[in-house]
Amino acid sequence: MEIGQAFTVSALGSQFLVGLSRAMILFIVSAGMSFVLGVLRVPNVAHGSLYMIGAFAAFSISNLLGGGTAGFWLALILAPLVVALVSLIAERSLFCHLYEREHLMLLLFTFALMLILGDLVKMVWGADYRSIMAPELLQGSVNIFDSPFPRYNLFLLIIGPLVGIGLWLFSNKTKVGKIARAAAVDREMVGAIGINVSWVFAFAFVLGCFLAGLGGALVSPTISVTIGMDHDIIIEAFLIVTIGGLGNMWGALVGSLIFGLTQAFGILFWPQFAIVFPYIAVVIVLTWKPRGMLKSVW
Amino acid sequence: MFRDIFNLKSVGPLVVIFIILLILPTILPRFYTYILAVIFVTALLAMSLNMVVGHGGLFQFHHGAFYGVGAYTVALMLTKTSLPVWTGFIAGPIIAALTGLLIGAFCVRLTRLYFGMLQISLGSLIWAIAFRWYSLTGGDDGMHGIPMPPIISSQNSAYYFTLIIMAICLIIMYLIFKSPFGATLQAIRDNPERCEAIGINVRRHQLIAIVIATFFAGIAGVLFVVVEGSVFPDLLFWVFSLEIFIMCLLGGWFTFAGPVLGAAIMISLRTFVGIYTEYWTLILGIILILLIFFLPEGVWGYILEKFGRQSKEAIEGGSK
């Protein structure tokens, strides 16, 4: 066991930044899941698959457009829209007929969706590893704390809060967002005042999936895109949403920070068992605050 | 007492099925014998999960962890220690039950989705350890070619061993299901608040149910090692746990025998569809969606409702 590396300030600092940028990806994905969970009250197991589709779609789009700078930025915008379209089709054709049913059936449906989407991705893109180049502006690294830090991660540190602010503005300042929040608290009442709840649900589902796709597109330059990346993210997003407080967007942020930072410092302290640390953090949080760090919406 | 529980009319067909299963290995090709043994193991696992999910109403989302603990315990005892072989077989379920007690004690403080999530994270902890501790567990490769005692090392004897142990376990489970404890558990599922009000210790009952269920999951884990001769971390992975969960729903989770059917369907699908196409999960997904829309009570629940018996009985699990 390689315990006890040099815990210099610079190592801790740069690892802190690595954890932060990882947390931003986790935040974007789990905020989407939290949104769906808050409004529909169902954990969307297919969320990870949509994240994976986002990454693959970003790969294809940027390749189609020549792989240059413009291709990357367009992919970043178009890939989440592709994911949103996929989720809209799934929701309107099948999922929307199940809202009145036993709750576990909804969960079961999203599991079936995960199985189907996983295989569809395998059919369309195959089992190869794909990689995407970040645009030149974001390649290379800058020196922070006397150690090189990838520019792309800095970009993530900027985009994460932007998405958070956007989400907050959307759900607090726009009419649709307010309706969605109201539906999360009391869906009968929302229906009673003449709002089509089914479409509110559809909207929430698609928005959540859009965020999953955005997360996938954003993460694609930092990892190798391959099938199986859905399984890892989904469990992390679940746990983040749980420790944050179900359906609470800021909870998703807090959970992501806990998860990302424990992971990053775990790599520093005990690389072999780094993946254990976030789980331990979750256990500690849930035994200390059984209903999550922040107030859940239901 | 036993006459009340096992009436002749329902025991008769079961005995016939059991005898057919005893004869089958002599006629079937080796491959099918193996598949049947896998089905027995998985059926036992799904039944043990259904004790807490279907009858107890708990969101036991990471049941595979206990299955894996049972399998890893026996595999480690057989390969790394020189204790008498059968101690491993006994230790497997016991360690699994102790893990269940430990994890359950944390989980029963929470309800529903939170329960499930805490369990997933605790179970994933075990998975992560098995996945990473190369020197002990072989990491992501797992352990292969685990030596079995000679009496169950051949394929047919492994088959019989699995079949008999499964049958005994199912009978014990049925007795538990019909016992006052089982009735209390189902009452807690249907209305925990009222049970609390009439003085039932809800959490303790749930915890006991978890310990019993994880004990049986441990037995299933041991049987898995007997049939496959290997262990790998995928047994503890949450996707597999969800698959077991699906088996319960697929077969009919308010019925007693449903999960057996669910496990048989899943394993057969994976095996036989998997021969023709690598996209078997796509087909599984489509079948699941069809089930959700057309057979929400599960296959066995549907059969019970359709043929002769009243649906009320199906919900009470009065079959078998």
Side-chain angles (χ1 to χ4, degrees):
Chain A
M1 324 264 160
E2 313 116 83
I3 312 174
Q5 291 185 343
F7 293 130
T8 56
V9 178
S10 79
L12 283 173
S14 69
Q15 205 59 18
F16 176 74
L17 284 180
V18 168
L20 266 191
S21 56
R22 175 71 188 152
M24 288 307 118
I25 294 282
L26 291 173
F27 166 62
I28 291 169
V29 176
S30 55
M33 170 171 279
S34 187
F35 204 75
V36 176
L37 197 64
V39 179
L40 274 75
R41 308 203 171 175
V42 56
N44 180 10
V45 183
H47 207 72
S49 313
L50 294 157
Y51 163 86
M52 176 168 69
I53 291 176
F56 272 107
F59 165 80
S60 286
I61 291 168
S62 73
N63 259 19
L64 220 62
L65 297 170
T69 308
F72 175 81
W73 293 110
L74 266 176
L76 215 52
I77 298 164
L78 289 179
L81 290 176
V82 170
V83 174
L85 186 68
V86 170
S87 65
L88 183 69
I89 294 168
E91 203 276 343
R92 278 295 106 182
S93 61
L94 294 167
F95 199 38
C96 66
H97 303 294
L98 291 173
Y99 291 146
E100 303 298 315
R101 299 276 290 278
E102 167 75 41
H103 208 76
L104 271 177
M105 287 298 158
L106 294 175
L107 182 69
L108 190 53
F109 176 85
T110 61
F111 183 68
L113 198 61
M114 178 188 114
L115 296 176
I116 292 174
L117 290 178
D119 259 6
L120 284 180
V121 167
K122 212 199 293 179
M123 275 182 186
V124 176
W125 283 286
D128 299 336
Y129 287 81
R130 311 295 174 96
S131 63
I132 301 170
M133 287 291 277
E136 242 162 77
L137 178 70
L138 300 176
Q139 282 176 6
S141 51
V142 286
N143 268 335
I144 302 176
F145 295 119
D146 298 331
S147 53
F149 186 70
R151 283 194 185 168
Y152 192 80
N153 288 24
L154 272 185
F155 167 67
L156 290 178
L157 287 180
I158 297 165
I159 208 102
L162 282 182
V163 171
I165 293 167
L167 256 183
W168 182 81
L169 284 176
F170 168 77
S171 60
N172 287 281
K173 300 292 174 195
T174 66
K175 195 177 169 195
V176 193
K178 283 180 185 169
I179 292 172
R181 278 199 309 144
V185 178
D186 191 341
R187 63 175 83 171
E188 281 86 14
M189 197 60 210
V190 170
I193 58 172
I195 290 163
N196 189 339
V197 178
S198 176
W199 275 101
V200 175
F201 282 11
F203 179 76
F205 187 74
V206 170
L207 180 67
C209 296
F210 174 85
L211 288 171
L214 182 63
L218 278 172
V219 84
S220 58
T222 63
I223 57 165
S224 47
V225 178
T226 182
I227 50 171
M229 61 186 279
D230 53 343
H231 288 173
D232 299 329
I233 192 80
I234 186 74
I235 198 75
E236 293 177 349
F238 265 150
L239 297 174
I240 285 166
V241 167
T242 318
I243 57 175
L246 296 183
N248 188 321
M249 195 191 91
W250 299 118
L253 181 61
V254 173
S256 306
L257 290 174
I258 294 176
F259 222 86
L261 291 177
T262 46
Q263 217 165 25
F265 287 121
I267 290 170
L268 199 62
F269 291 123
W270 198 359
Q272 193 191 359
F273 285 101
I275 48 171
V276 173
F277 287 94
Y279 296 121
I280 293 175
V282 171
V283 173
I284 292 170
V285 168
L286 281 184
T287 36
W288 169 47
K289 286 204 160 172
R291 307 211 26 104
M293 300 287 283
L294 301 178
K295 195 170 164 292
S296 81
V297 294
W298 36 285
Chain B
M1 169 201 172
F2 282 88
R3 189 162 295 171
D4 298 340
I5 296 173
F6 300 105
N7 59 30
L8 196 65
K9 209 174 122 195
S10 54
V11 168
L14 286 179
V15 173
V16 173
I17 292 174
F18 187 73
I19 291 169
I20 291 173
L21 286 176
L22 278 181
I23 300 167
L24 269 181
T26 54
I27 12 179
L28 278 183
R30 279 175 62 90
F31 178 64
Y32 291 92
T33 317
Y34 162 75
I35 294 297
L36 269 177
V38 174
I39 288 178
F40 296 154
V41 174
T42 320
L44 179 59
L45 178 63
M47 288 293 291
S48 72
L49 175 62
N50 202 43
M51 279 184 80
V52 273
V53 172
H55 310 152
L58 293 167
F59 281 23
Q60 178 101 340
F61 281 173
H62 212 329
H63 202 57
F66 309 108
Y67 178 60
V69 165
Y72 266 98
T73 304
V74 72
L76 288 173
M77 297 270 284
L78 287 181
T79 50
K80 308 260 160 156
T81 68
S82 53
L83 293 167
V85 269
W86 296 103
T87 49
F89 284 70
I90 298 161
I94 290 175
I95 300 286
L98 285 177
T99 317
L101 178 68
L102 194 68
I103 290 183
F106 278 103
C107 290
V108 290
R109 296 170 58 234
L110 314 182
T111 51
R112 298 180 71 78
L113 214 50
Y114 287 98
F115 176 101
M117 291 299 163
L118 180 58
Q119 197 176 48
I120 286 188
S121 77
L122 284 164
S124 300
L125 207 64
I126 300 176
W127 166 78
I129 292 168
F131 188 69
R132 284 294 180 158
W133 198 345
Y134 286 95
S135 53
L136 183 71
T137 62
D140 49 359
D141 294 331
M143 300 153 77
H144 300 280
I146 293 152
M148 280 293 133
I151 188 169
I152 50 167
S153 58
S154 87
Q155 201 193 16
N156 274 0
S157 52
Y159 173 90
Y160 286 120
F161 183 72
T162 317
L163 175 63
I164 290 164
I165 298 283
M166 179 197 71
I168 295 169
C169 289
L170 291 194
I171 292 169
I172 297 171
M173 280 185 198
Y174 189 67
L175 289 175
I176 294 172
F177 175 65
K178 281 290 175 188
S179 69
F181 173 77
T184 315
L185 203 61
Q186 288 162 65
I188 293 173
R189 171 195 71 195
D190 293 335
N191 197 335
E193 288 83 14
R194 192 170 291 179
C195 288
E196 192 102 58
I198 60 170
I200 294 169
N201 191 334
V202 171
R203 283 182 183 170
R204 186 188 295 159
H205 274 80
Q206 288 176 334
L207 187 57
I208 293 171
I210 291 172
V211 171
I212 296 173
T214 50
F215 182 80
F216 283 115
I219 295 180
V222 171
L223 292 181
F224 177 85
V225 178
V226 171
V227 174
E228 296 276 356
S230 56
V231 288
F232 33 84
D234 273 2
L235 295 176
L236 300 138
F237 199 47
W238 67 274
V239 175
F240 180 68
S241 290
L242 260 185
E243 264 179 42
I244 318 164
F245 205 90
I246 301 303
M247 288 173 201
C248 294
L249 299 174
L250 191 70
W253 53 309
F254 288 150
T255 64
F256 180 75
V260 174
L261 201 59
I265 294 173
M266 281 281 261
I267 299 290
S268 318
L269 265 180
R270 174 183 303 171
T271 314
F272 297 112
V273 178
I275 292 170
Y276 296 107
T277 166
E278 60 173 313
Y279 302 115
W280 84 273
T281 53
L282 179 76
I283 303 201
L284 177 67
I286 292 168
I287 291 173
L288 263 182
I289 287 181
L290 291 176
L291 267 166
I292 295 166
F293 277 96
F294 299 111
L295 297 180
E297 297 271 293
V299 176
W300 188 241
Y302 175 77
I303 293 172
L304 283 183
E305 206 169 324
K306 197 81 182 168
F307 298 103
R309 306 188 192 210
Q310 287 159 356
S311 57
K312 183 169 165 284
E313 203 184 355
I315 286 166
E316 285 168 1
S319 66
K320 191 153 186 183

